[in-house]
Amino acid sequence: MSNIIILGAQWGDEGKGKIVDLLTERADCIVRYQGGHNAGHTLVVGEEKFVLHLIPAGILHPGKTCVIGNGIALDPQALIEEIDDLAQRGIQVGENLKISDSCHLILPYHRAIDKESEKQKGTRRIGTTGRGIGPAYVDKMARIGIRAGDLSHPKIFREKLSQNLQEMNYLMEKLFRAHGFDLESLYAEVMTQGERILPYLADTSLYLWEEARKGSSILFEGAQGTLLDVDHGTYPFVTSSNASAGGALTGTGIGPTMIDKVLGVTKAYTTRVGSGPFPTEQTGPEGERLRERGQEFGATTGRARRCGWFDSVAVRYAARINGLTGIILTKIDVLDHLKTIPVCTGYRIGTRMFTEFPHHIEDLENAKPVYEALPGWNKTTRGIRRWEELPKEAQDYIRWIERQVGVPVIMISTGSERSETITLQEPFPASE
Ligand code: GDP
Ligand code: IMO
Ligand code: MG
């Protein structure tokens, strides 16, 4: 038995989906614990590509149970579309999916408020995915959220919806000067969606605890990344949940003593989607080249991702915040074209040097990265599966990251396919 958290150590899109899909072979349950369909996790299996938003990346493997934990913000419409899309492609979602009855629902007014409030922010907009994530978590914290379990109590659901609409419609009409929502039609719409969702609802905290006691192995699949965490990320340019390791506990109802390992996924360079500081960003041709070679376009919104060099200040910070026990380094092949590779070792802010990640947004916005230039390998690493086959310079690059971050690199991804992976240390013990 081994319970492992896999999470993003940067600003998201590190390749978590590929890694979770790969490691699912050795796991029994795969659990999403925070975020919602703002996530886009890509799995490539042969010629086929799947992009999952809400359903855990273990779903392609028969015989495994996928769980949507209580920490998720669940848009019923998005979930139904994802289930139907998978079914069309021959992947059945039935008994193999369990959804916490305590998940907070994302309703159409959350999406509308997300979009309107972004418009109002003007140049200080966050660049959200427009999926209603923030407003749904606002309601959760304000204790007016509607939970998945409420769908099985139509009277209570209707009362809550009616009360919330008074507030939401006031916001929509008076503050945003937009259309409000009609109670009757919204009630009917969500109740119809509820019929599809109810069969999946369960006490997932209890389920996971029982599974763990039976000796099952559980994979916790993070969404977004540590620097987008609402507490530890580049606030306010973050998402509205805890993408770091703590979220795996509060978002599932599992205690910390049940976690064996915390693995951070990081690219061999850095990307970010949306607004906010990004010290090592390359806005010129070098960033453009990384975007092209890495196909850095959002899996959820299709937006071009901002690209830049590897930032060891940021990843070392993620190692500390999450208590990382191992690093999974992805997309090393994207750097194959470079003769030398700049890597960031610290920030200069005004006259001061920083080797720890600053908390204040203004410091980060003014941070000038200090670079070291490492030799590139300038040959292909695409699809390499054995450490010995990596060029010496690529090995040195990986060892440099390991030293800077202070955590061992246990897997290296050399392509988007499952098989394009080097495993240095098997995350699950050999006996399993
Ligand atoms: P996630 O949100 O962390 O699951 O990552 P995304 O799926 O949004 O973005 C990662 C992208 O990189 C996807 O298109 C993957 O197929 C792709 N990918 C993952 N690992 C590698 C790799 O090692 N090399 C290359 N070239 N692509 C990769
Ligand atoms: P995965 O799981 C990268 C970013 C958005 C925006 C900020 C807030 O695929 O790594 P939100 O809609 O969450 O309120 O937007 O967070 N963001 C992501 N960036 N990968 C993601 O997910 C993201 N999910 C949200 O671009 O900057
Ligand atoms: Mg993604």
Coordinates of all heavy atoms in Angstrom, one line a residue, residues 12-17 38-42 51-52 224 298-300 305, ligand 3:
G12 N 1.1 25.3 -13.1 CA 0.1 24.5 -13.8 C 0.6 24.0 -15.1 O 1.7 24.4 -15.6
D13 N -0.1 23.0 -15.7 CA 0.3 22.5 -17.0 C 1.7 21.8 -17.1 O 2.3 21.8 -18.1 CB 0.2 23.5 -18.1 CG -1.2 24.1 -18.2 OD1 -2.2 23.4 -17.9 OD2 -1.3 25.3 -18.4
E14 N 2.1 21.3 -16.0 CA 3.4 20.7 -15.9 C 3.5 19.3 -16.6 O 4.6 18.7 -16.8 CB 3.9 20.5 -14.4 CG 4.0 21.9 -13.7 CD 2.7 22.3 -13.0 OE1 1.7 21.7 -13.3 OE2 2.7 23.2 -12.2
G15 N 2.3 18.7 -16.8 CA 2.3 17.4 -17.4 C 1.7 16.4 -16.3 O 2.0 15.2 -16.4
K16 N 1.0 16.9 -15.4 CA 0.4 16.0 -14.3 C -0.4 14.9 -14.9 O -0.4 13.8 -14.4 CB -0.4 16.9 -13.4 CG 0.3 18.0 -12.7 CD -0.6 18.9 -11.9 CE -1.6 19.7 -12.7 NZ -1.0 20.8 -13.5
G17 N -1.3 15.2 -15.9 CA -2.2 14.2 -16.5 C -1.4 13.0 -17.0 O -1.7 11.9 -16.7
N38 N -11.5 24.2 -14.7 CA -10.4 25.1 -15.1 C -9.2 24.3 -15.5 O -8.4 24.7 -16.3 CB -10.1 26.1 -14.0 CG -9.9 25.5 -12.7 OD1 -10.1 24.3 -12.4 ND2 -9.4 26.3 -11.7
A39 N -9.1 23.1 -15.0 CA -7.9 22.2 -15.3 C -8.1 21.6 -16.7 O -9.2 21.4 -17.1 CB -7.9 21.0 -14.2
G40 N -7.0 21.3 -17.3 CA -7.0 20.6 -18.6 C -5.8 19.6 -18.5 O -4.7 20.1 -18.6
H41 N -6.0 18.3 -18.4 CA -5.0 17.3 -18.2 C -5.0 16.4 -19.4 O -6.0 15.8 -19.7 CB -5.2 16.5 -16.9 CG -5.1 17.3 -15.7 ND1 -5.3 16.8 -14.4 CD2 -4.8 18.7 -15.5 CE1 -5.1 17.8 -13.5 NE2 -4.9 18.9 -14.2
T42 N -3.8 16.5 -20.1 CA -3.8 15.8 -21.4 C -3.1 14.4 -21.3 O -2.1 14.3 -20.7 CB -2.9 16.6 -22.4 OG1 -3.3 18.0 -22.3 CG2 -3.0 16.1 -23.8
V51 N -8.3 15.0 -23.3 CA -8.1 16.1 -22.4 C -9.2 16.0 -21.3 O -10.4 16.1 -21.6 CB -8.2 17.5 -23.1 CG1 -7.9 18.6 -22.1 CG2 -7.1 17.6 -24.2
L52 N -8.7 15.8 -20.1 CA -9.7 15.7 -19.0 C -9.7 16.9 -18.2 O -8.7 17.6 -18.0 CB -9.3 14.5 -18.1 CG -9.3 13.1 -18.8 CD1 -8.6 12.1 -18.0 CD2 -10.7 12.7 -19.1
Q224 N -3.9 22.6 -11.4 CA -3.2 23.8 -11.3 C -1.8 23.5 -10.7 O -1.3 22.4 -10.9 CB -3.9 24.9 -10.5 CG -5.2 25.4 -11.1 CD -6.4 24.5 -10.9 OE1 -6.7 24.2 -9.8 NE2 -7.1 24.1 -12.0
G298 N -3.1 26.4 -24.1 CA -3.9 25.9 -23.0 C -4.8 24.8 -23.4 O -5.5 24.8 -24.4
A299 N -4.8 23.7 -22.6 CA -5.7 22.5 -22.8 C -7.1 22.8 -22.5 O -8.0 22.1 -23.0 CB -5.2 21.4 -22.0
T300 N -7.4 23.9 -21.8 CA -8.8 24.2 -21.5 C -9.3 25.4 -22.3 O -10.4 25.3 -22.9 CB -8.9 24.6 -20.0 OG1 -8.6 23.4 -19.2 CG2 -10.3 25.1 -19.6
R305 N 0.4 29.9 -24.0 CA 1.0 30.0 -22.7 C 2.2 30.8 -22.7 O 3.0 30.8 -23.7 CB 1.4 28.6 -22.2 CG 0.2 27.6 -22.0 CD 0.6 26.2 -21.6 NE -0.5 25.3 -21.4 CZ -0.5 24.0 -21.6 NH1 0.6 23.4 -22.0 NH2 -1.6 23.3 -21.4
Ligands
MG3 MG -3.3 21.7 -18.0

